[in-house]
């Protein structure tokens, strides 16, 4: 009986998709560490795979330092826009930045077992990446349809894992987790009214003339002579600053949020995590990566709200 009481369960951490809301995973991991909880297994989908990879490599502090300093101008600089490759952004600049100060490593060589979720674009199958290049796996997992171009890996085209498994609890269990702590970033998003917040951000960004011009010039270079729309009109259509109609990115984000919320509910009904953390981040938009301080703090708060339940799950696991 004493031996049973002293058993330490294998803890898995499943980090869900959610674009800019994904910085909440940093707060979650740090808050768990302060409670003496370090996962034995980590899995990630989309932005969750990026944060999970940094943690598994022992470089979460470096990632946190960068994202806390991230400004809108830098986000624009990372937008390598392309309309010819199956997505608006190639994603190469983002991964190149992620590589700075670190060497790529094979997933199987990590000290913490790690897995990333992607979707096979041809078959719709859920793919678990557990070997090969860590950064290639992250790039494939974040290939949000319509935003990032898909990634070819071993002769197959991969897109964002959130299409099939937004919160990869099942992968955690398959890798041996006895107690799964899952982070769902989309739980409070659907049905929320975010227009006022988005209008405030749009107005603030209108003041950043230099940054706006850089973004516009990139669109002009891409479209070349086919672009005949005025700068202000095109930006309104893309970013949603027009009050009468949502922008293209807003429509894309809203559609993906609805899809992922429904998929997560279905997956969790059949295979619930022992602990589900749900940061309250409905007001954070698809590309608001410059809101890291607020998002990380809410990730930490989501752990604090569930502290007693976490302790009980681990004790009885």
């Amino acid at each position: 009986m004493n031996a049973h009481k002293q058993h330490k369960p294998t803890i898995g951490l499943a980090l869900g998709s959610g674009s800019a809301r994904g910085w909440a995973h940093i707060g979650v991991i740090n808050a768990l560490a302060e409670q003496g909880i370090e996962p034995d297994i980590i899995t990630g989908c989309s932005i969750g795979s990026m944060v999970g990879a940094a943690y598994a490599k022992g470089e979460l502090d470096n990632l946190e330092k960068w994202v806390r300093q991230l400004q809108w101008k830098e986000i624009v600089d990372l937008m390598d826009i392309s309309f010819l490759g199956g997505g608006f952004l190639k994603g190469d600049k983002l991964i190149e930045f992620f590589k700075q100060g670190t060497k790529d490593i094979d997933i199987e060589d990590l000290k913490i077992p790690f897995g990333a979720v992607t979707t096979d674009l041809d078959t719709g199958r859920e793919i678990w990446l557990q070997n090969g290049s860590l950064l290639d796996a992250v790039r494939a997992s974040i290939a949000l349809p319509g935003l990032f171009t898909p990634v070819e890996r071993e002769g197959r085209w991969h897109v964002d894992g959130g299409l099939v498994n937004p919160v990869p609890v099942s992968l955690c269990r398959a890798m041996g987790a006895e107690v799964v702590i899952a982070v769902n970033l989309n739980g409070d998003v659907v049905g929320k009214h975010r227009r006022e917040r988005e209008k405030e951000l749009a107005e603030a960004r209108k003041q950043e003339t230099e940054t706006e011009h850089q973004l516009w010039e990139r669109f002009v270079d891409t479209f070349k002579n086919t672009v005949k729309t005025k700068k202000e009109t095109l930006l309104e259509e893309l970013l949603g600053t027009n009050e009468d109609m949502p922008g293209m990115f807003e429509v894309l984000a809203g559609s993906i949020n609805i899809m992922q919320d429904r998929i997560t509910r279905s997956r969790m009904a059949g295979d619930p995590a022992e602990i589900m953390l749900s940061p309250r981040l409905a007001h954070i938009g698809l590309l608001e990566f410059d809101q890291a301080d607020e998002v990380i703090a809410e990730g930490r708060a989501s752990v604090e709200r569930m502290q007693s339940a976490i302790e009980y799950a681990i004790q009885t696991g």
Side-chain angles (χ1 to χ4, degrees), residues 193-249:
H193 191 74
R194 302 191 303 277
R195 294 294 295 170
E196 291 302 318
R197 164 74 168 178
E198 290 169 353
K199 284 166 60 179
E200 291 174 6
L201 287 167
E203 287 300 320
R205 286 168 182 165
K206 280 183 180 179
Q207 304 302 318
E208 301 182 26
T209 306
E210 180 182 353
T211 296
E212 205 173 79
H213 275 289
Q214 289 175 348
L215 179 58
W216 170 246
E217 289 301 325
R218 193 164 292 124
F219 275 108
V220 171
D221 290 340
T222 302
F223 276 122
K224 295 183 178 179
N225 296 328
T226 64
V227 175
K228 297 181 180 178
T229 309
K230 290 183 179 180
K231 165 188 166 183
E232 293 80 5
T233 303
L234 181 56
L235 285 175
E236 285 179 356
E237 291 177 356
L238 291 174
L239 301 179
T241 56
N242 186 330
E243 295 182 24
D244 298 327
M245 182 178 295
M248 183 173 63
F249 285 157

Side-chain angles (χ1 to χ4, degrees), residues 36-56:
I37 301 170
E38 296 184 357
D40 304 293
I41 294 165
I42 189 159
T43 62
C45 176
S46 196
I47 190 67
S49 71
M50 176 176 283
V51 177
Y55 176 72

Side-chain angles (χ1 to χ4, degrees), residues 14-309:
L15 304 180
S17 60
S19 195
R21 295 186 292 276
W23 299 149
H25 295 316
I26 298 173
V28 167
I29 293 171
N30 288 338
L32 289 174
E34 290 173 6
Q35 294 184 23
I37 301 170
E38 296 184 357
D40 304 293
I41 294 165
I42 189 159
T43 62
C45 176
S46 196
I47 190 67
S49 71
M50 176 176 283
V51 177
Y55 176 72
K57 252 191 123 230
E59 295 176 350
L60 187 66
D61 289 344
N62 293 338
L63 180 63
E64 180 176 358
K65 182 178 179 180
W66 171 57
V67 302
R68 284 188 183 276
Q69 298 173 347
L70 194 59
Q71 301 296 318
W72 177 242
K73 180 180 182 300
E74 295 172 275
I75 296 172
V76 171
D77 289 339
L78 292 173
M79 291 183 178
D80 45 1
I81 295 169
S82 170
F83 290 89
L84 302 176
F88 287 110
L89 305 177
K90 294 179 182 177
D92 295 343
K93 284 188 177 181
L94 179 62
I95 293 300
E96 283 301 318
F97 193 97
F98 194 53
K99 286 181 180 179
Q100 290 182 17
T102 182
K103 292 182 179 179
D104 195 8
I105 187 174
D106 285 340
I107 295 174
E108 54 268 38
D109 293 332
L110 292 168
K111 293 182 179 179
I112 301 176
F114 172 80
V117 177
T118 71
T119 304
D120 187 312
L121 184 60
D122 295 321
T123 66
R125 290 179 52 218
E126 177 180 342
I127 305 296
W128 295 346
L129 302 182
Q130 297 175 265
N131 54 63
S133 165
L134 178 64
L135 294 183
D136 284 353
V138 170
R139 174 63 185 86
S141 187
I142 67 170
L144 192 65
L147 187 63
F148 287 107
T149 56
V151 174
E152 185 179 15
R153 181 183 169 100
E154 298 179 354
R156 309 297 297 179
W157 288 102
H158 295 254
V159 292
D160 196 304
L163 295 178
V164 289
N165 194 359
V167 186
V169 172
S170 56
L171 177 53
C172 253
R173 294 212 190 279
M175 293 174 66
E178 297 172 295
V179 172
V180 177
I181 301 173
V183 186
N184 179 17
L185 301 176
N186 300 304
D188 69 337
V189 171
V190 176
K192 298 292 183 178
H193 191 74
R194 302 191 303 277
R195 294 294 295 170
E196 291 302 318
R197 164 74 168 178
E198 290 169 353
K199 284 166 60 179
E200 291 174 6
L201 287 167
E203 287 300 320
R205 286 168 182 165
K206 280 183 180 179
Q207 304 302 318
E208 301 182 26
T209 306
E210 180 182 353
T211 296
E212 205 173 79
H213 275 289
Q214 289 175 348
L215 179 58
W216 170 246
E217 289 301 325
R218 193 164 292 124
F219 275 108
V220 171
D221 290 340
T222 302
F223 276 122
K224 295 183 178 179
N225 296 328
T226 64
V227 175
K228 297 181 180 178
T229 309
K230 290 183 179 180
K231 165 188 166 183
E232 293 80 5
T233 303
L234 181 56
L235 285 175
E236 285 179 356
E237 291 177 356
L238 291 174
L239 301 179
T241 56
N242 186 330
E243 295 182 24
D244 298 327
M245 182 178 295
M248 183 173 63
F249 285 157
E250 184 183 352
V251 173
L252 176 64
S255 300
I256 291 173
N257 286 336
I258 292 170
M259 175 195 70
Q260 292 188 351
D261 177 64
R262 296 299 181 258
I263 294 172
T264 300
R265 290 170 186 259
S266 177
R267 298 290 296 248
M268 292 301 104
D271 187 13
E274 280 68 30
I275 297 294
M276 178 65 79
L277 303 177
S278 299
R280 298 165 183 170
L281 296 167
H283 59 287
I284 300 296
L286 178 73
L287 298 177
E288 292 175 32
F289 292 99
D290 53 339
Q291 304 298 310
D293 287 347
E294 177 184 355
V295 174
I296 290 173
E298 175 54 26
R300 178 182 291 275
S302 71
V303 173
E304 294 170 351
R305 289 192 293 268
M306 296 289 289
Q307 182 171 349
S308 296

